[in-house]
Amino acid sequence: VARRRPRHRLRRRWLRRGRAMASESEGAAAPRGPPPPPCYLVVHNVAKKHNIGTLLRSACAFGVAEVILVGSNTFNTFGAHGSDGYVALRHFPTLEEAKRYLQEQRGCALVGVEITPTAKPVHRKPFRGPAAFLMGNEGTGLSARQIALCDEFVYIAQYGRGTASLNVTVAASVVLHEFAVWAGYQESPREGAKYLLAERPVRRHARGVVCAEEDVARKRAERQRARDRGSASSDEEQPVFSLEDDDAPVLPATHST
């Protein structure tokens, strides 16, 4: 004769099962939590211009919300492999203006990637919220002016003795990956050994140039006024498209060298 389990044991098991089912039901019905904190990359005083394209590629791979280009509004897209069209770009003439925008409009700290007395190892993920990472110059690192503007610092621990530092693009990739893991960004879908690309956004300006929204709007208004004045010589004249026209065809991406 099979032995019957004590009733109190069965009751405990039923209670545990009921709580688990209730927990799963509540989790499925619960609304989504707040979005993960955004990440920004500030590019300033990078000596080797071809590194900027590679920085954009890393920014795209690790979910950077916006890349802030300080100084010149033009850049070399070599190394981007088309990823510059997938990441938002913004330009500021000075680093002070960039920091003001990040603090006042994005609510994030400016985090310098540099070995300083107060720097924390990035692998410990010492993040507290939205962050904008400022990379140093390839040869000299962050300048005294840049350090004075930073709110916090992180550094990448090294374990070999054959090099004094990492390439700026490699260092940026390490830092951005650590932040993405800490923030809980959702991994992109994969197919085989590659990640799937999203639909290519419509390009609003020429490659290698960061245009302010107001400048794009002004140029569109100027072209519209020219059309209204009857700048076309005849109805048979073919329209001239530019990369900034809303109705312009999407041109295939080319790589600058």
Side-chain angles (χ1 to χ4, degrees), residues 111-140:
V111 182
V113 181
E114 185 64 279
I115 299 176
T116 68
T118 60
K120 300 177 181 177
V122 72
H123 67 269
R124 295 183 181 174
K125 300 178 177 57
F127 311 119
R128 296 177 293 177
F133 295 102
L134 175 62
M135 308 304 301
N137 178 271
E138 294 93 330
T140 60

PDB file of all heavy atoms in Angstrom, residues 111-140:
ATOM      1  N   VAL A 111      31.820  62.253 -17.609  1.00  0.00           N
ATOM      2  CA  VAL A 111      32.742  61.278 -17.017  1.00  0.00           C
ATOM      3  C   VAL A 111      33.982  61.182 -17.897  1.00  0.00           C
ATOM      4  O   VAL A 111      33.900  60.761 -19.049  1.00  0.00           O
ATOM      5  CB  VAL A 111      32.076  59.895 -16.873  1.00  0.00           C
ATOM      6  CG1 VAL A 111      33.031  58.924 -16.209  1.00  0.00           C
ATOM      7  CG2 VAL A 111      30.784  60.012 -16.080  1.00  0.00           C
ATOM      8  N   GLY A 112      35.112  61.568 -17.337  1.00  0.00           N
ATOM      9  CA  GLY A 112      36.360  61.474 -18.073  1.00  0.00           C
ATOM     10  C   GLY A 112      36.950  60.079 -17.980  1.00  0.00           C
ATOM     11  O   GLY A 112      36.937  59.468 -16.911  1.00  0.00           O
ATOM     12  N   VAL A 113      37.447  59.572 -19.100  1.00  0.00           N
ATOM     13  CA  VAL A 113      38.111  58.266 -19.118  1.00  0.00           C
ATOM     14  C   VAL A 113      39.611  58.535 -19.010  1.00  0.00           C
ATOM     15  O   VAL A 113      40.278  58.846 -20.000  1.00  0.00           O
ATOM     16  CB  VAL A 113      37.765  57.482 -20.392  1.00  0.00           C
ATOM     17  CG1 VAL A 113      38.434  56.116 -20.379  1.00  0.00           C
ATOM     18  CG2 VAL A 113      36.247  57.339 -20.533  1.00  0.00           C
ATOM     19  N   GLU A 114      40.119  58.466 -17.797  1.00  0.00           N
ATOM     20  CA  GLU A 114      41.501  58.840 -17.527  1.00  0.00           C
ATOM     21  C   GLU A 114      41.925  58.295 -16.162  1.00  0.00           C
ATOM     22  O   GLU A 114      41.085  58.139 -15.261  1.00  0.00           O
ATOM     23  CB  GLU A 114      41.635  60.361 -17.534  1.00  0.00           C
ATOM     24  CG  GLU A 114      43.052  60.891 -17.394  1.00  0.00           C
ATOM     25  CD  GLU A 114      43.951  60.502 -18.554  1.00  0.00           C
ATOM     26  OE1 GLU A 114      44.445  59.352 -18.525  1.00  0.00           O
ATOM     27  OE2 GLU A 114      44.131  61.316 -19.475  1.00  0.00           O
ATOM     28  N   ILE A 115      43.201  58.000 -16.011  1.00  0.00           N
ATOM     29  CA  ILE A 115      43.730  57.563 -14.714  1.00  0.00           C
ATOM     30  C   ILE A 115      44.036  58.811 -13.887  1.00  0.00           C
ATOM     31  O   ILE A 115      44.975  59.551 -14.181  1.00  0.00           O
ATOM     32  CB  ILE A 115      44.994  56.706 -14.893  1.00  0.00           C
ATOM     33  CG1 ILE A 115      44.666  55.458 -15.709  1.00  0.00           C
ATOM     34  CG2 ILE A 115      45.566  56.300 -13.542  1.00  0.00           C
ATOM     35  CD1 ILE A 115      45.885  54.604 -16.025  1.00  0.00           C
ATOM     36  N   THR A 116      43.229  59.056 -12.865  1.00  0.00           N
ATOM     37  CA  THR A 116      43.420  60.176 -11.949  1.00  0.00           C
ATOM     38  C   THR A 116      43.334  59.636 -10.521  1.00  0.00           C
ATOM     39  O   THR A 116      42.898  58.500 -10.305  1.00  0.00           O
ATOM     40  CB  THR A 116      42.345  61.252 -12.160  1.00  0.00           C
ATOM     41  OG1 THR A 116      41.067  60.722 -11.753  1.00  0.00           O
ATOM     42  CG2 THR A 116      42.267  61.690 -13.621  1.00  0.00           C
ATOM     43  N   PRO A 117      43.728  60.434  -9.533  1.00  0.00           N
ATOM     44  CA  PRO A 117      43.650  59.962  -8.142  1.00  0.00           C
ATOM     45  C   PRO A 117      42.250  59.551  -7.705  1.00  0.00           C
ATOM     46  O   PRO A 117      42.096  58.706  -6.818  1.00  0.00           O
ATOM     47  CB  PRO A 117      44.166  61.156  -7.336  1.00  0.00           C
ATOM     48  CG  PRO A 117      45.064  61.888  -8.276  1.00  0.00           C
ATOM     49  CD  PRO A 117      44.429  61.739  -9.621  1.00  0.00           C
ATOM     50  N   THR A 118      41.218  60.138  -8.312  1.00  0.00           N
ATOM     51  CA  THR A 118      39.841  59.822  -7.911  1.00  0.00           C
ATOM     52  C   THR A 118      39.135  58.875  -8.873  1.00  0.00           C
ATOM     53  O   THR A 118      37.961  58.564  -8.679  1.00  0.00           O
ATOM     54  CB  THR A 118      39.018  61.114  -7.794  1.00  0.00           C
ATOM     55  OG1 THR A 118      38.999  61.774  -9.076  1.00  0.00           O
ATOM     56  CG2 THR A 118      39.623  62.049  -6.746  1.00  0.00           C
ATOM     57  N   ALA A 119      39.828  58.436  -9.923  1.00  0.00           N
ATOM     58  CA  ALA A 119      39.201  57.566 -10.917  1.00  0.00           C
ATOM     59  C   ALA A 119      38.875  56.200 -10.332  1.00  0.00           C
ATOM     60  O   ALA A 119      39.631  55.661  -9.515  1.00  0.00           O
ATOM     61  CB  ALA A 119      40.109  57.413 -12.130  1.00  0.00           C
ATOM     62  N   LYS A 120      37.759  55.636 -10.787  1.00  0.00           N
ATOM     63  CA  LYS A 120      37.325  54.318 -10.329  1.00  0.00           C
ATOM     64  C   LYS A 120      37.441  53.320 -11.482  1.00  0.00           C
ATOM     65  O   LYS A 120      37.186  53.679 -12.646  1.00  0.00           O
ATOM     66  CB  LYS A 120      35.891  54.374  -9.821  1.00  0.00           C
ATOM     67  CG  LYS A 120      35.705  55.326  -8.646  1.00  0.00           C
ATOM     68  CD  LYS A 120      34.256  55.418  -8.221  1.00  0.00           C
ATOM     69  CE  LYS A 120      34.073  56.395  -7.072  1.00  0.00           C
ATOM     70  NZ  LYS A 120      32.653  56.539  -6.692  1.00  0.00           N
ATOM     71  N   PRO A 121      37.796  52.074 -11.206  1.00  0.00           N
ATOM     72  CA  PRO A 121      37.911  51.080 -12.283  1.00  0.00           C
ATOM     73  C   PRO A 121      36.554  50.822 -12.932  1.00  0.00           C
ATOM     74  O   PRO A 121      35.557  50.589 -12.244  1.00  0.00           O
ATOM     75  CB  PRO A 121      38.449  49.841 -11.575  1.00  0.00           C
ATOM     76  CG  PRO A 121      38.115  50.041 -10.135  1.00  0.00           C
ATOM     77  CD  PRO A 121      38.130  51.512  -9.892  1.00  0.00           C
ATOM     78  N   VAL A 122      36.517  50.870 -14.246  1.00  0.00           N
ATOM     79  CA  VAL A 122      35.245  50.787 -14.956  1.00  0.00           C
ATOM     80  C   VAL A 122      34.620  49.407 -14.831  1.00  0.00           C
ATOM     81  O   VAL A 122      33.386  49.270 -14.920  1.00  0.00           O
ATOM     82  CB  VAL A 122      35.445  51.198 -16.429  1.00  0.00           C
ATOM     83  CG1 VAL A 122      36.198  50.118 -17.195  1.00  0.00           C
ATOM     84  CG2 VAL A 122      34.117  51.493 -17.112  1.00  0.00           C
ATOM     85  N   HIS A 123      35.433  48.352 -14.611  1.00  0.00           N
ATOM     86  CA  HIS A 123      34.855  47.012 -14.522  1.00  0.00           C
ATOM     87  C   HIS A 123      34.016  46.829 -13.261  1.00  0.00           C
ATOM     88  O   HIS A 123      33.228  45.888 -13.174  1.00  0.00           O
ATOM     89  CB  HIS A 123      35.954  45.946 -14.591  1.00  0.00           C
ATOM     90  CG  HIS A 123      36.876  45.939 -13.415  1.00  0.00           C
ATOM     91  ND1 HIS A 123      38.039  46.669 -13.386  1.00  0.00           N
ATOM     92  CD2 HIS A 123      36.813  45.290 -12.226  1.00  0.00           C
ATOM     93  CE1 HIS A 123      38.659  46.462 -12.239  1.00  0.00           C
ATOM     94  NE2 HIS A 123      37.928  45.642 -11.517  1.00  0.00           N
ATOM     95  N   ARG A 124      34.162  47.720 -12.293  1.00  0.00           N
ATOM     96  CA  ARG A 124      33.303  47.676 -11.109  1.00  0.00           C
ATOM     97  C   ARG A 124      31.977  48.403 -11.327  1.00  0.00           C
ATOM     98  O   ARG A 124      31.139  48.460 -10.433  1.00  0.00           O
ATOM     99  CB  ARG A 124      34.033  48.274  -9.911  1.00  0.00           C
ATOM    100  CG  ARG A 124      35.255  47.451  -9.485  1.00  0.00           C
ATOM    101  CD  ARG A 124      35.904  48.033  -8.251  1.00  0.00           C
ATOM    102  NE  ARG A 124      37.078  47.259  -7.861  1.00  0.00           N
ATOM    103  CZ  ARG A 124      37.907  47.603  -6.882  1.00  0.00           C
ATOM    104  NH1 ARG A 124      37.684  48.734  -6.187  1.00  0.00           N
ATOM    105  NH2 ARG A 124      38.957  46.853  -6.603  1.00  0.00           N
ATOM    106  N   LYS A 125      31.847  48.994 -12.511  1.00  0.00           N
ATOM    107  CA  LYS A 125      30.607  49.670 -12.917  1.00  0.00           C
ATOM    108  C   LYS A 125      30.148  50.701 -11.881  1.00  0.00           C
ATOM    109  O   LYS A 125      29.045  50.605 -11.320  1.00  0.00           O
ATOM    110  CB  LYS A 125      29.511  48.637 -13.188  1.00  0.00           C
ATOM    111  CG  LYS A 125      29.894  47.649 -14.298  1.00  0.00           C
ATOM    112  CD  LYS A 125      28.834  46.606 -14.510  1.00  0.00           C
ATOM    113  CE  LYS A 125      29.192  45.672 -15.657  1.00  0.00           C
ATOM    114  NZ  LYS A 125      30.497  44.997 -15.492  1.00  0.00           N
ATOM    115  N   PRO A 126      30.957  51.737 -11.662  1.00  0.00           N
ATOM    116  CA  PRO A 126      30.616  52.750 -10.656  1.00  0.00           C
ATOM    117  C   PRO A 126      29.672  53.819 -11.190  1.00  0.00           C
ATOM    118  O   PRO A 126      29.896  55.021 -11.014  1.00  0.00           O
ATOM    119  CB  PRO A 126      31.991  53.342 -10.325  1.00  0.00           C
ATOM    120  CG  PRO A 126      32.719  53.286 -11.628  1.00  0.00           C
ATOM    121  CD  PRO A 126      32.240  52.021 -12.318  1.00  0.00           C
ATOM    122  N   PHE A 127      28.613  53.392 -11.865  1.00  0.00           N
ATOM    123  CA  PHE A 127      27.704  54.333 -12.515  1.00  0.00           C
ATOM    124  C   PHE A 127      26.484  54.583 -11.625  1.00  0.00           C
ATOM    125  O   PHE A 127      26.069  53.709 -10.863  1.00  0.00           O
ATOM    126  CB  PHE A 127      27.267  53.797 -13.873  1.00  0.00           C
ATOM    127  CG  PHE A 127      28.415  53.320 -14.724  1.00  0.00           C
ATOM    128  CD1 PHE A 127      28.487  51.990 -15.145  1.00  0.00           C
ATOM    129  CD2 PHE A 127      29.426  54.183 -15.097  1.00  0.00           C
ATOM    130  CE1 PHE A 127      29.538  51.541 -15.923  1.00  0.00           C
ATOM    131  CE2 PHE A 127      30.491  53.738 -15.879  1.00  0.00           C
ATOM    132  CZ  PHE A 127      30.536  52.421 -16.290  1.00  0.00           C
ATOM    133  N   ARG A 128      25.901  55.753 -11.773  1.00  0.00           N
ATOM    134  CA  ARG A 128      24.745  56.114 -10.951  1.00  0.00           C
ATOM    135  C   ARG A 128      23.549  56.573 -11.773  1.00  0.00           C
ATOM    136  O   ARG A 128      22.470  56.787 -11.231  1.00  0.00           O
ATOM    137  CB  ARG A 128      25.139  57.220  -9.972  1.00  0.00           C
ATOM    138  CG  ARG A 128      26.192  56.811  -8.957  1.00  0.00           C
ATOM    139  CD  ARG A 128      26.581  57.961  -8.062  1.00  0.00           C
ATOM    140  NE  ARG A 128      27.285  58.995  -8.818  1.00  0.00           N
ATOM    141  CZ  ARG A 128      27.693  60.144  -8.299  1.00  0.00           C
ATOM    142  NH1 ARG A 128      27.437  60.428  -7.038  1.00  0.00           N
ATOM    143  NH2 ARG A 128      28.345  61.026  -9.044  1.00  0.00           N
ATOM    144  N   GLY A 129      23.721  56.738 -13.059  1.00  0.00           N
ATOM    145  CA  GLY A 129      22.639  57.218 -13.911  1.00  0.00           C
ATOM    146  C   GLY A 129      23.181  57.558 -15.285  1.00  0.00           C
ATOM    147  O   GLY A 129      24.225  57.041 -15.702  1.00  0.00           O
ATOM    148  N   PRO A 130      22.480  58.427 -16.025  1.00  0.00           N
ATOM    149  CA  PRO A 130      22.952  58.814 -17.358  1.00  0.00           C
ATOM    150  C   PRO A 130      24.380  59.355 -17.296  1.00  0.00           C
ATOM    151  O   PRO A 130      24.739  60.083 -16.367  1.00  0.00           O
ATOM    152  CB  PRO A 130      21.963  59.901 -17.788  1.00  0.00           C
ATOM    153  CG  PRO A 130      20.730  59.647 -16.971  1.00  0.00           C
ATOM    154  CD  PRO A 130      21.210  59.111 -15.663  1.00  0.00           C
ATOM    155  N   ALA A 131      25.184  59.013 -18.284  1.00  0.00           N
ATOM    156  CA  ALA A 131      26.583  59.425 -18.279  1.00  0.00           C
ATOM    157  C   ALA A 131      27.026  59.787 -19.683  1.00  0.00           C
ATOM    158  O   ALA A 131      26.593  59.184 -20.667  1.00  0.00           O
ATOM    159  CB  ALA A 131      27.472  58.310 -17.716  1.00  0.00           C
ATOM    160  N   ALA A 132      27.897  60.799 -19.761  1.00  0.00           N
ATOM    161  CA  ALA A 132      28.534  61.196 -21.012  1.00  0.00           C
ATOM    162  C   ALA A 132      30.027  60.995 -20.847  1.00  0.00           C
ATOM    163  O   ALA A 132      30.657  61.606 -19.981  1.00  0.00           O
ATOM    164  CB  ALA A 132      28.231  62.663 -21.335  1.00  0.00           C
ATOM    165  N   PHE A 133      30.615  60.131 -21.653  1.00  0.00           N
ATOM    166  CA  PHE A 133      32.015  59.772 -21.511  1.00  0.00           C
ATOM    167  C   PHE A 133      32.875  60.620 -22.446  1.00  0.00           C
ATOM    168  O   PHE A 133      32.623  60.701 -23.645  1.00  0.00           O
ATOM    169  CB  PHE A 133      32.211  58.288 -21.804  1.00  0.00           C
ATOM    170  CG  PHE A 133      31.529  57.396 -20.805  1.00  0.00           C
ATOM    171  CD1 PHE A 133      30.328  56.780 -21.119  1.00  0.00           C
ATOM    172  CD2 PHE A 133      32.077  57.195 -19.546  1.00  0.00           C
ATOM    173  CE1 PHE A 133      29.687  55.960 -20.201  1.00  0.00           C
ATOM    174  CE2 PHE A 133      31.448  56.380 -18.616  1.00  0.00           C
ATOM    175  CZ  PHE A 133      30.243  55.778 -18.938  1.00  0.00           C
ATOM    176  N   LEU A 134      33.901  61.221 -21.856  1.00  0.00           N
ATOM    177  CA  LEU A 134      34.836  62.053 -22.598  1.00  0.00           C
ATOM    178  C   LEU A 134      36.149  61.309 -22.732  1.00  0.00           C
ATOM    179  O   LEU A 134      36.794  60.976 -21.730  1.00  0.00           O
ATOM    180  CB  LEU A 134      35.054  63.386 -21.867  1.00  0.00           C
ATOM    181  CG  LEU A 134      36.102  64.331 -22.463  1.00  0.00           C
ATOM    182  CD1 LEU A 134      35.699  64.765 -23.881  1.00  0.00           C
ATOM    183  CD2 LEU A 134      36.279  65.558 -21.565  1.00  0.00           C
ATOM    184  N   MET A 135      36.546  61.024 -23.981  1.00  0.00           N
ATOM    185  CA  MET A 135      37.772  60.300 -24.241  1.00  0.00           C
ATOM    186  C   MET A 135      38.928  61.285 -24.398  1.00  0.00           C
ATOM    187  O   MET A 135      38.756  62.401 -24.881  1.00  0.00           O
ATOM    188  CB  MET A 135      37.641  59.457 -25.509  1.00  0.00           C
ATOM    189  CG  MET A 135      36.417  58.555 -25.542  1.00  0.00           C
ATOM    190  SD  MET A 135      36.314  57.428 -24.133  1.00  0.00           S
ATOM    191  CE  MET A 135      37.848  56.519 -24.303  1.00  0.00           C
ATOM    192  N   GLY A 136      40.124  60.855 -24.004  1.00  0.00           N
ATOM    193  CA  GLY A 136      41.289  61.710 -24.090  1.00  0.00           C
ATOM    194  C   GLY A 136      41.977  61.626 -25.439  1.00  0.00           C
ATOM    195  O   GLY A 136      41.649  60.801 -26.298  1.00  0.00           O
ATOM    196  N   ASN A 137      42.963  62.488 -25.617  1.00  0.00           N
ATOM    197  CA  ASN A 137      43.786  62.491 -26.820  1.00  0.00           C
ATOM    198  C   ASN A 137      44.621  61.218 -26.883  1.00  0.00           C
ATOM    199  O   ASN A 137      45.017  60.676 -25.849  1.00  0.00           O
ATOM    200  CB  ASN A 137      44.688  63.728 -26.805  1.00  0.00           C
ATOM    201  CG  ASN A 137      45.618  63.795 -27.993  1.00  0.00           C
ATOM    202  OD1 ASN A 137      46.720  63.274 -27.947  1.00  0.00           O
ATOM    203  ND2 ASN A 137      45.163  64.434 -29.052  1.00  0.00           N
ATOM    204  N   GLU A 138      44.898  60.749 -28.102  1.00  0.00           N
ATOM    205  CA  GLU A 138      45.627  59.491 -28.259  1.00  0.00           C
ATOM    206  C   GLU A 138      47.003  59.509 -27.601  1.00  0.00           C
ATOM    207  O   GLU A 138      47.467  58.499 -27.075  1.00  0.00           O
ATOM    208  CB  GLU A 138      45.795  59.155 -29.753  1.00  0.00           C
ATOM    209  CG  GLU A 138      44.498  58.856 -30.468  1.00  0.00           C
ATOM    210  CD  GLU A 138      43.889  60.083 -31.117  1.00  0.00           C
ATOM    211  OE1 GLU A 138      44.109  61.204 -30.589  1.00  0.00           O
ATOM    212  OE2 GLU A 138      43.206  59.943 -32.122  1.00  0.00           O
ATOM    213  N   GLY A 139      47.666  60.672 -27.619  1.00  0.00           N
ATOM    214  CA  GLY A 139      49.014  60.732 -27.084  1.00  0.00           C
ATOM    215  C   GLY A 139      49.117  61.284 -25.676  1.00  0.00           C
ATOM    216  O   GLY A 139      49.888  60.784 -24.852  1.00  0.00           O
ATOM    217  N   THR A 140      48.317  62.313 -25.373  1.00  0.00           N
ATOM    218  CA  THR A 140      48.455  63.025 -24.097  1.00  0.00           C
ATOM    219  C   THR A 140      47.313  62.785 -23.119  1.00  0.00           C
ATOM    220  O   THR A 140      47.377  63.260 -21.984  1.00  0.00           O
ATOM    221  CB  THR A 140      48.579  64.536 -24.365  1.00  0.00           C
ATOM    222  OG1 THR A 140      47.401  64.994 -25.056  1.00  0.00           O
ATOM    223  CG2 THR A 140      49.806  64.835 -25.225  1.00  0.00           C
TER     224      THR A 140
END
